[in-house]
Amino acid sequence: MKLASLKQGRDGQLLVVSRDLSRAITADGIAPTLQAALDYWAETEPALQALYQQLNQGNCADSFAFDPSACASPLPRAYQWADGSAYVNHVELVRKARGAEIPASFWTDPLMYQGMSDGFIGPCEDICLADEAWGIDFEGEIAIITGDVPMGTPAERADAHIKLLMLVNDVSLRNLIPGELNKGFGFFQSKPASSFSPVAISPDELGDAWQDTRVHHRLRVHLNGELFGEPDAGTDMTFNFAQLLTHVSFSRDLCAGSIIGSGTVSNVDRSTGSCCLAERRMLEVLDQGEARTPFMKFGDRVRIEMLDAQGQSIFGAIDQQVTKYEAL
């Protein structure tokens, strides 16, 4: 099934969305918000599935045209947003460009940071930031939403706790990152609010493209209307989502509605392009001795989307423009 959140209050209004993303219906009789549905998933999931089937069959008189621009992120805020770096090829490129080798542990132990989760940017809302000099970058990723996860969940049982999937734009301020990391305490100011696709989907919507808790479709990124990259998300993913979930739950329980990101999708095959500016810049350093692609400027637009084998959008598109923040 496919679920979305209409902009309403802090936590949105839960919508069920048709498979082709053309129609939607409110799920008020089942759960007011997506978080409420996740809190009682054993009860709400069958009812949401039944409503989804009715909507796809055209049997919902109260349905209306689905408008992604009227939506918040599927979870407008979350109890936890933990983002990984599951594509070690991406990490290796970034470090290689500055002459650093990656530690052997990077291939066996996922990297993870805890991001801002008290409010996300809507999928079609502006990325509003104060200064271009911060090095504004997009990062095309995939994320899962979990149910309740017990501490110490092993990877072989982790897939049962994966309830929904989304696309991500993990906004990064690249020129602020070195100073923060040099302090030895991780990201904070360099990682502002992220955004997610208009629709969250259950894994069964992917059919055979959901294998070994990896998504085997290309993630397409356009910058200012031009294709920037379309790497295959299932290729070169060093740690699958089950492994990432196990890593996050190593020393803690996770509550329903926790979000875990894959990190920037990246392929070893350079012909597929990149899902962030930093990676392209690093490749330019390696090939040409200097980075030539600039970071995003005010007015630039990024679009992140995934299509199925028939060319239909699966999650809807993250479609955002960078604008200048003016302090009140």
Side-chain angles (χ1 to χ4, degrees), residues 23 25 50-63:
R23 307 291 296 175
I25 190 168
L51 183 58
Y52 180 62
Q53 295 304 322
Q54 293 172 25
L55 179 63
N56 284 321
Q57 293 165 4
N59 295 330
C60 295
D62 295 332
S63 71

Side-chain angles (χ1 to χ4, degrees), residues 11 35 41 63 81 96 100 103 107 114 131 145 151 155 164 193 196 203 211 226 229 256 283 309 317:
D11 295 303
Q35 183 60 57
W41 194 247
S63 71
W81 158 227
K96 186 181 292 184
W107 294 100
Q114 196 162 36
D131 196 338
I145 302 176
M151 181 169 56
L164 298 167
F196 298 87
Q211 296 180 27
E226 295 186 3
L283 288 169

Side-chain angles (χ1 to χ4, degrees), residues 286-304:
L286 293 171
D287 293 341
Q288 304 167 40
E290 63 178 357
R292 299 182 178 182
T293 300
F295 289 119
M296 295 183 82
K297 305 294 186 184
F298 299 137
D300 284 349
R301 180 173 292 276
V302 62
R303 182 182 178 92
I304 300 171

Side-chain angles (χ1 to χ4, degrees), residues 223 227-229 273-274 276-285 291-293:
L223 178 61
L227 183 64
F228 190 84
S274 299
C276 71
L277 290 163
E279 184 172 295
R280 176 176 284 188
R281 287 168 59 88
M282 292 307 101
L283 288 169
E284 290 169 346
V285 170
R292 299 182 178 182
T293 300

